[in-house]
Amino acid sequence: PVFNVTDQDGNKILDEGILDYIRKSLGPESYFMPSIRSVGVKQSMDHTAIELTGSDRPGLLSEVSAVLRHLKCNVVNAEVWTHNTRAAAVMQVTDEETETAITDPERLSRIKSLLCNVLKGSNKSSLAKTVVSHSVTHTERRLHQMMFADRDYERTGGDVLDDRQRPNVDVVNWHDKDYSVVTIRCKDRPKLLFDTVCTLTDMDYVVFHANIDTLGPDSYQEYYIRHLDGSPVKSDAERQRVTQCLEAAIERRVSEGLKLELCTTDRVGLLSDVTRIFRENSLTVTRAEVSTKAGKAVNTFYVRDASGYPVDVKTIDSIRQVLGQTILKVKGNPDDSKPVSQESPTRFLFGGLFKSKSFVNFSLVRSYS
């Protein structure tokens, strides 16, 4: 494969440190798991990983954070996605006192039980799932798998982009070569290739040839795929499912709402306090990324008014007065409710995602943030 890449500002990459990292990641020194479907890479006792899936609702992250604080669990890293009325989260927690992973079976069972009750809410028949493990996962890779398994691609008439914002996905069969050709036209953004390729892989398709290009703010992707058994897409129902799943994969990372960045000294219960303040000011979190390093907490939230109206400037001012003017930064205009894409850098190794018997040509001319 040939990749033409730039940095997120569209400039040529000149930093030797970055180039050396790419060489090692994609070269003979890199290490790839033999099975792409394997999520766990290695065991870790630094933290306990909690995976959550359930129905989205206003204040859900606040409720989950409050329960974890009550159970003396400190959230050190977390990522939360919402799409089409569904929510998924991968959270890494430690014991509040020992700052290590939680291993006691009874305590883990209690954590799972209480969190599952929160996810179900008042609707006890609502589908909710809580998984606790000590595995290290690629968080965004896992979130795609969780939402795919939760069937968030099924349209419910709720959290859906209009036709102008929805990706244009087309699937046709190339009978002479026994391929199915998938074409995707949509707005370009960081990690778009990652999102589409992960989904095709999770659906057990092999990409034999691909062309990727960008022109201005738009992206064009073309994939020649087959099933693992060598057959193309077999029916109209399967073709519709591929289309829906790829649309969902692209939409998951597009967040409607105002972007807020919080940077402050880390402490136990910080996430619980911040999300409680959001909830008390009638804001709901549509996406979140929480990270801590060297005693510092760097959190990004995408929020919108729980009633569906644009976020009021007075509401943001009130929250900043409580949290601190300098530690909470507002990105964008509070009146702007257009979808915005998450741009935090995430390591991604391409090994194993493409199995090709023919030349694979990728042309990433320019990436727009």
Side-chain angles (χ1 to χ4, degrees), residues 13-220:
I13 300 175
L14 300 175
D15 190 316
E16 285 297 328
I18 296 176
L19 294 173
D20 185 59
Y21 175 80
I22 294 174
R23 291 189 193 100
K24 290 181 178 179
S25 297
L26 300 179
E29 298 179 35
S30 63
Y31 171 75
F32 303 119
M33 295 299 293
S35 172
I36 192 61
R37 296 190 63 85
S38 176
V39 177
V41 178
K42 61 181 179 180
Q43 294 296 310
S44 171
M45 293 304 293
D46 296 332
H47 62 260
T48 299
I50 301 176
E51 298 178 355
L52 308 169
T53 53
S55 297
D56 186 31
R57 67 175 185 274
L60 179 60
L61 180 58
S62 175
E63 294 177 39
V64 168
S65 303
V67 168
L68 289 173
R69 184 177 186 181
H70 173 72
L71 295 170
K72 298 188 181 301
C73 300
N74 185 38
V75 179
V76 293
N77 293 290
E79 191 149 354
V80 182
W81 288 5
T82 64
H83 177 250
N84 200 19
T85 73
R86 307 303 297 170
V90 176
M91 313 182 82
Q92 298 174 358
V93 303
T94 59
D95 178 79
E96 182 179 313
E97 296 180 357
T98 65
E99 298 183 353
T100 59
I102 300 168
T103 57
D104 179 65
E106 292 186 6
R107 187 178 178 189
L108 292 176
S109 178
R110 177 170 171 76
I111 291 172
K112 289 176 61 176
S113 177
L114 291 181
L115 287 177
C116 203
N117 288 338
V118 170
L119 290 171
K120 289 180 179 180
S122 58
N123 184 5
K124 297 303 180 181
S125 62
S126 175
L127 293 177
K129 186 177 181 181
T130 304
V131 177
V132 178
S133 71
H134 300 296
S135 298
V136 176
T137 68
H138 187 295
T139 302
E140 293 178 336
R141 181 82 172 90
R142 186 62 187 137
L143 284 167
H144 272 302
Q145 293 174 332
M146 292 163 61
M147 298 207 85
F148 174 73
D150 201 35
R151 305 176 72 89
D152 74 313
Y153 53 84
E154 295 181 344
R155 301 291 179 182
T156 61
D159 185 19
V160 180
L161 298 177
D162 61 36
D163 290 337
R164 292 174 299 174
Q165 298 169 340
R166 184 181 298 178
N168 185 334
V169 182
D170 188 39
V171 183
V172 297
N173 282 354
W174 186 10
H175 297 288
D176 292 344
K177 299 293 184 180
D178 286 332
Y179 289 121
S180 291
V181 184
V182 179
T183 57
I184 304 171
R185 296 175 178 86
C186 63
K187 292 294 182 182
D188 188 34
R189 59 166 175 77
K191 304 181 186 177
L192 181 60
L193 177 63
F194 174 92
D195 296 337
T196 53
V197 172
C198 281
T199 298
L200 289 171
T201 303
D202 288 337
M203 297 182 72
D204 293 327
Y205 292 108
V206 178
V207 177
F208 285 84
H209 182 78
N211 292 288
I212 313 295
D213 202 357
T214 59
L215 180 62
D218 299 319
S219 170
Y220 174 83

